[in-house]
């Protein structure tokens, strides 16, 4: 298989220049693999290495995500939505058979949506803030809501037996995806945010408290050491106030 979107001729050279060994398998995925990338799209590359590393951006366009094969194999056996994404559309740039091994070991969970529901514990609280708190970091709040909506959509369609990892494709027929795509591309107001949050609440069916008016209230409502706690920390770092939170 070859990428459906033309890639920079020096892509592998750039990765090598950033310390990626020539022996590490590399798999292209995301919009460049699918063929629906835009000029501003990231080039998503999965690197399989001996040690896991933080994701990083290279040359302002390449998003490099590094995992060990053991991590990926374990995730495949658990039916990870991320691994489903990789085996569904991944294109080897440099392969040692890892993509086929992940495909062979992948085990479908009973419900992707139930699993992501658990992974996103606290998301209905994170997506429930008043206009003033939202205004302290509008893009960050929108990014968190878009991420959650996108994840739940992908899980929903995977449960239906039609896994799709493109918001652009889903937005043709799914109003929730249209909301997420608009927020991702141009949203910046509380109305866009509220619409996304309502979509999340509809999927999860969870009751919500009164909107949070401070980061301290959010920190009290979201369980520590969860994915949503991490999302909250990102929002705080991007906030105009950068307030201190005592967990």
């Amino acid at each position: 298989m070859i990428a459906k979107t033309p890639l920079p001729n020096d892509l592998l050279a750039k990765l090598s220049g950033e310390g990626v060994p020539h022996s590490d398998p590399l798999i292209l995925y995301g919009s460049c693999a699918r063929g629906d990338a835009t000029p501003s799209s990231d080039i998503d590359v999965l690197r399989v290495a001996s040690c896991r590393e933080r994701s990083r951006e290279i040359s302002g366009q390449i998003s490099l995500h590094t995992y060990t094969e053991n991590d990926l194999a374990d995730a495949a056996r658990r039916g990870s939505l991320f691994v489903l994404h990789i085996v569904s559309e991944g294109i080897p740039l440099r392969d040692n058979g890892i993509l086929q091994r992940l495909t062979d070991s992948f085990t479908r969970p009973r419900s992707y949506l139930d699993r992501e529901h658990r992974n996103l514990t606290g998301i209905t609280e994170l997506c429930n803030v008043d206009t003033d708190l939202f205004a302290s970091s509008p893009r960050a709040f929108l990014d968190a809501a878009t991420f959650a909506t996108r994840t739940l959509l992908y899980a929903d369609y995977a449960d239906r037996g039609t896994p799709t990892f493109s918001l652009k494709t889903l937005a043709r027929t799914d109003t929730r995806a249209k909301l997420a795509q608009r927020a991702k591309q141009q949203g910046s107001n509380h109305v866009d945010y509220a619409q996304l949050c309502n979509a999340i609440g509809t999927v999860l069916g969870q009751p919500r408290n009164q909107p949070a008016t401070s980061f301290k209230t959010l920190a009290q409502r979201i369980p520590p050491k969860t994915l949503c706690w991490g999302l909250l920390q990102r929002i705080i770092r991007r906030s105009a106030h950068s307030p201190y939170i005592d967990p």
Side-chain angles (χ1 to χ4, degrees), residues 79-81 109-126 147-156 159 199-208 222-223 226-229 231:
S80 158
L81 195 63
R110 185 171 300 175
S111 170
Y112 292 100
L113 193 56
D114 286 349
R115 169 166 292 174
E116 295 309 320
H117 185 169
R118 292 192 296 272
N119 288 341
L120 287 167
T121 297
I123 193 62
T124 53
E125 297 298 347
L126 187 62
F147 165 77
T149 304
R150 182 185 64 193
T151 299
L152 293 170
L153 278 170
Y154 293 167
D156 184 13
D159 278 344
I200 293 169
T202 299
V203 173
L204 297 180
Q206 293 179 334
R208 293 195 290 179
I222 297 173
T226 61
L227 174 59
C228 287
W229 180 261
L231 291 175

Side-chain angles (χ1 to χ4, degrees), residues 39 43-44 47 75 96 103 112 115 155 158 172 197 216 221:
I43 300 173
D44 293 301
R47 171 193 173 198
N96 67 350
T103 301
Y112 292 100
R115 169 166 292 174
R172 295 170 187 162
C197 296
K216 182 176 181 179
R221 293 178 177 180

Side-chain angles (χ1 to χ4, degrees), residues 1-9 11 28-44 61 89 91 93 168:
M1 295 176 65
I2 61 174
K4 297 178 181 178
T5 297
L7 299 174
N9 294 328
L11 174 61
L28 178 75
Y29 69 101
S31 58
C32 288
R34 288 191 303 269
D36 60 1
T38 66
S40 62
S41 295
D42 289 340
I43 300 173
D44 293 301
Q61 187 181 19
E89 64 181 32
I91 296 174
L93 297 175
K168 185 183 296 185

Side-chain angles (χ1 to χ4, degrees), residues 4-163:
K4 297 178 181 178
T5 297
L7 299 174
N9 294 328
D10 60 348
L11 174 61
L12 295 181
K14 285 181 177 178
L15 292 171
S16 296
E18 290 292 326
V20 176
H22 292 285
S23 58
D24 285 356
L26 300 170
I27 299 172
L28 178 75
Y29 69 101
S31 58
C32 288
R34 288 191 303 269
D36 60 1
T38 66
S40 62
S41 295
D42 289 340
I43 300 173
D44 293 301
V45 177
L46 170 66
R47 171 193 173 198
V48 185
S50 57
C51 297
R52 184 169 180 178
E53 298 178 5
R54 286 182 177 273
S55 298
R56 54 187 168 125
E57 188 175 274
I58 296 173
S59 300
Q61 187 181 19
I62 304 167
S63 291
L64 183 67
H65 309 275
T66 302
Y67 294 84
T68 68
E69 181 164 349
N70 285 339
D71 286 340
L72 292 169
D74 181 59
R77 288 189 291 270
R78 291 184 286 105
S80 158
L81 195 63
F82 174 66
V83 175
L84 178 64
H85 189 172
I86 297 298
V87 301
S88 296
E89 64 181 32
I91 296 174
L93 297 175
R94 203 160 60 204
D95 195 15
N96 67 350
I98 177 65
L99 192 57
Q100 187 59 54
R101 290 194 292 277
L102 290 177
T103 301
D104 292 342
S105 62
F106 188 84
T107 303
R108 178 187 172 95
R110 185 171 300 175
S111 170
Y112 292 100
L113 193 56
D114 286 349
R115 169 166 292 174
E116 295 309 320
H117 185 169
R118 292 192 296 272
N119 288 341
L120 287 167
T121 297
I123 193 62
T124 53
E125 297 298 347
L126 187 62
C127 293
N128 185 25
V129 303
D130 70 0
T131 54
D132 289 340
L133 184 55
F134 173 83
S136 71
S137 193
R139 188 65 258 174
F141 275 111
L142 271 167
D143 285 348
T146 301
F147 165 77
T149 304
R150 182 185 64 193
T151 299
L152 293 170
L153 278 170
Y154 293 167
D156 184 13
Y157 279 85
D159 278 344
R160 298 183 194 189
T162 55

